[in-house]
Structures are given as C-alpha cells and as structure tokens.
Amino acid sequence: MLHVTKILSIYTVLPVSDYQSCLMPMGVAVAGMCTLSPTLSSFKHPTRLFSASDFAAKLRFPPSIRLRASSTAVINTETNSTESVVVEKEVGNSCNSLACPVCYDSLAWNGGPGLSIDTISGSSFQCGTCQKTYVGNQTHIDLTATGGAKSYGETMPASTELFRVPLISFLYERGWRQTFSVWGGFPGPEKEFELMKGFLKPVLGGNIVDASCASGLFSRLFAKSGLFSFVVALDYSENMLQQCYEFIQQDENFPKGNFILVRADISRLPFVSNSVDAVHAGAALHCWPSPLAAVAEISRVLRPGGVFVATTYILDGPLSVIPFRSTLRQNIRQASGSYIFLSERELEDLCRACGLVGFKCIRNGLFVMISARKPS
C-alpha cells in the first residue's frame, strides 16, 4: 500500500508537459526477452521531400533490420557496437513539406535552395491561401497558429507551461530523462533508438518528424545516424528548442544541412497531408492533452505506408490493483492536462481510431514502445 501511495503522490504533485515527459511511477517489474537481429539487403526508397521549387531526390541504401518483440518483453539493454548501418545517399538541397497551421496549404520560402538550421534565421514563409507570414529566428521557426500574434493568446494546460520554463528545459537532459530508466523501465536513449530502427525500417531514407522532441535527444540521433534525408525537431516549448540548438552548436560534427527546429502544436501539425515518412514521439504520448487529436494529426500528415513510433508507459500489471484507476486518470487529466494509459488494448484502439494499422508493441515493465502505419 505504501508503493501505491507514492505512485499517487507523484501523479498528483508533478504536472507533465503537453510536449514533454513526466517522471515515471515507482516500482518496475521485469520479465521476458526481446532481441534485435540485423540483416542486410538492398532496396530503393523515394525521398518524399520538396521545396517551393518542387525538388525531388532519390536515395540508395542497404539497411534492413528485423525486430522480434513480445507484449510482455523485457528489453536486452546490451547492444553490439560493432553493428552499423551504411546509407548511400544522393540528396540535393531540400526542405520538408511545411504547411500553414491555419489552412494546411504549403508554405513558400523566400530563402535559397536549401532549408537548414543555418539558413532558417531571418527567413520567412508565406501561405499561398491566407497570405499569413511566418518568420524564423536564430533557433527555430514558429509555426503555431498564433505565431506572429502580438496581443492574442490562449491558456494552455499547466503541464504545458511547466516545460516552457527555462530551468525545466535545462534540467530535462541533465538528469530528468535519466529517471525514466530508474522508475519506468525505459532502456535508455541508445537502446530505444536501436529498437525503433526496426519499426522504421520501411521508411529509412525518408523524412522524419521528431514530435514533442524536448531538448532534441532523439532528433540529434536521427540526424547523426544518416538514416533519414531530412529531420524536423518539433516542440511547443521555445526553451526546449533553445536547448536543442545549444547542444547542436556544441557538436562540431553535427550534420546541419538537412535539419530544422520547428515550434508547433501537436494537434495542428504544420505539414502538408501525406507528406511525412515517419513520426516519432519519445516519452510524450501521455503528455498530450488530447492523444486522439494528436494521433489523428499524425495520421493526416503521414504518407501512405508512413510509420508512427512512440514510447510511453502503462499502469497495468500489478498496478491494476490501484482502486478507481479510471476516476484517478480523469482527475489527473483535468488538473494537469496529461493522460495515463491503462492497457495495451487502449493504445491499439487509439491508433485504429485514427486510421492507423499494423499495431505492434514492445514492453519492459511500465515502458512500452508502439508502432503503427498508415495504410498504403
């Protein structure tokens, strides 16, 4: 009973962000096995990226990763560092299919042929339908619906505002995220990245949006892996994006050419429909005020065959004995804007309701990694 009290106190005291992660509850059960078995094959995949000048490119690469998973699996956290994936690319200057968050029409960019973290500062993007203009600053481009508004604003959940605080953004990658492994069964960024590559295999070489990226932990891994032709680090918190930018500036070898930071609302993604190859959301699904609205948007922007991969946690197993779990979840959601998942079936139903198919998941204690795709 003592452990249940601690769990309830954590969810009551600590609000979680609309775009970030919360501390995991206490008590982790471990059982089962999950392995990665990489193989190699050769195939071609068209890049689904375009700029205002209708740029198109092709990539050639030979990776293929096979992933075996069980819904009751424990993740083997030992990875083979000698295994590598080589991607041979023929990529020119390109930009992601950015769209106006008001009308979803594609944006015309006033810059040169290549959109990147270095060229976005001071550039502007204009919607061809509503004529609204969005301007990039030193770190990112604000593509929220209220971007550019001087007087009007809307109240966000307390959990969303928490992660816009500079101190919280600073601490996220300097201790906060590490607690997920202690209390929630998260295997750590490197192992999570290796696991998700198996789910992302069909779309390697395409573009990827790291939704609710926080300080860009996985965004940077996606970019440095060379497995994707364009990476968008997306979050609602300006200070999280600032932290990501600072980490990138400290890395002399970071590939900035096909990488941008975007401020956006997860429920109004600023991308053209059917234009994104993959969307990743690490430890964020439970932080969204409306997971249904968010996943529906993700389904809209994914191209046919596109893949959605996310990690979160589930209060099931031994924690199912918590009394009035549904009532507790409703109270927490009203107070903080966060959402607690109670079963794998609930996550599968969420994806199915938003038109995604092929649901898969990997478990490790409270941790779960899910994947679903848009029908081809």
Side-chain angles (χ1 to χ4, degrees):
M1 197 61 178
L2 176 61
H3 293 294
V4 173
T5 303
K6 289 182 179 180
I7 293 169
L8 297 183
S9 65
I10 288 175
Y11 286 121
T12 302
V13 175
L14 291 177
V16 290
S17 168
D18 181 15
Y19 284 88
Q20 315 305 332
S21 309
C22 65
L23 292 174
M24 298 295 105
M26 302 180 69
V28 177
V30 176
M33 180 66 69
C34 173
T35 60
L36 270 173
S37 302
T39 61
L40 294 179
S41 64
S42 298
F43 60 101
K44 293 185 178 181
H45 178 76
T47 306
R48 295 182 174 268
L49 306 173
F50 60 87
S51 64
S53 60
D54 296 325
F55 172 82
K58 292 184 178 181
L59 301 97
R60 296 196 306 270
F61 54 94
S64 177
I65 301 173
R66 207 170 45 239
L67 183 64
R68 299 194 303 271
S70 168
S71 62
T72 56
V74 163
I75 296 168
N76 179 8
T77 57
E78 294 182 1
T79 57
N80 188 348
S81 60
T82 63
E83 297 173 354
S84 61
V85 179
V86 178
V87 180
E88 182 184 354
K89 300 186 293 184
E90 293 179 354
V91 181
N93 290 326
S94 62
C95 72
N96 205 32
S97 47
L98 298 176
C100 172
V102 176
C103 58
Y104 295 142
D105 190 15
S106 59
L107 295 174
W109 181 41
N110 70 348
L115 179 63
S116 70
I117 193 172
D118 286 331
T119 61
I120 203 169
S121 179
S123 61
S124 64
F125 302 77
Q126 187 175 49
C127 175
T129 299
C130 67
Q131 301 300 309
K132 184 175 179 179
T133 299
Y134 302 87
V135 180
N137 59 28
Q138 181 181 5
T139 60
H140 65 273
I141 177 172
D142 189 340
L143 292 181
T144 58
T146 56
K150 297 180 179 179
S151 300
Y152 178 78
E154 292 186 346
T155 302
M156 300 297 289
S159 56
T160 302
E161 298 301 326
L162 173 68
F163 282 86
R164 297 177 70 186
V165 176
L167 178 60
I168 301 300
S169 300
F170 178 82
L171 293 175
Y172 182 79
E173 210 167 313
R174 298 176 175 88
W176 188 301
R177 225 277 181 182
Q178 288 78 349
T179 62
F180 298 2
S181 299
V182 178
W183 308 119
F186 278 63
E190 290 78 14
K191 181 60 182 179
E192 291 171 46
F193 181 70
E194 290 299 317
L195 291 171
M196 72 180 67
K197 281 198 299 186
F199 290 135
L200 294 170
K201 179 183 66 175
V203 293
L204 292 180
N207 55 355
I208 186 168
V209 175
D210 189 17
S212 299
C213 69
S215 54
L217 182 61
F218 286 101
S219 305
R220 304 194 307 272
L221 287 175
F222 288 138
K224 297 182 73 172
S225 72
L227 298 176
F228 301 93
S229 55
F230 202 90
V231 179
V232 178
L234 182 147
D235 203 280
Y236 187 78
S237 170
E238 307 93 323
N239 285 303
M240 283 294 188
L241 295 173
Q242 174 68 36
Q243 286 295 316
C244 181
Y245 180 82
E246 292 179 2
F247 281 128
I248 290 172
Q249 294 304 107
Q250 295 168 9
D251 187 347
E252 296 180 355
N253 298 318
F254 188 85
K256 299 179 181 179
N258 292 299
F259 185 98
I260 59 172
L261 294 98
V262 173
R263 181 174 182 248
D265 186 340
I266 191 66
S267 64
R268 292 197 67 84
L269 291 175
F271 304 106
V272 175
S273 298
N274 305 316
S275 65
V276 176
D277 292 285
V279 175
H280 167 260
L285 191 59
H286 51 275
C287 301
W288 298 337
S290 174
L292 181 65
V295 178
E297 267 294 271
I298 290 170
S299 180
R300 178 186 67 81
V301 304
L302 282 175
R303 68 167 177 82
V307 177
F308 171 50
V309 178
T311 56
T312 184
Y313 64 93
I314 302 177
L315 292 187
D316 62 358
L319 298 178
S320 298
V321 300
I322 298 176
F324 309 109
R325 286 193 307 159
S326 296
T327 302
L328 174 64
R329 173 170 69 177
Q330 182 178 356
N331 293 336
I332 293 173
R333 186 178 182 184
Q334 291 175 347
S336 67
S338 61
Y339 194 96
I340 298 173
F341 292 97
L342 304 180
S343 69
E344 293 176 18
R345 180 175 296 180
E346 187 177 23
L347 285 164
E348 184 174 4
D349 282 348
L350 170 63
C351 292
R352 185 184 298 112
C354 296
L356 301 178
V357 299
F359 178 87
K360 299 177 183 177
C361 73
I362 301 173
R363 291 294 304 274
N364 185 49
L366 305 180
F367 165 85
V368 60
M369 177 179 288
I370 67 170
S371 174
R373 59 180 173 80
K374 190 168 182 176
S376 299

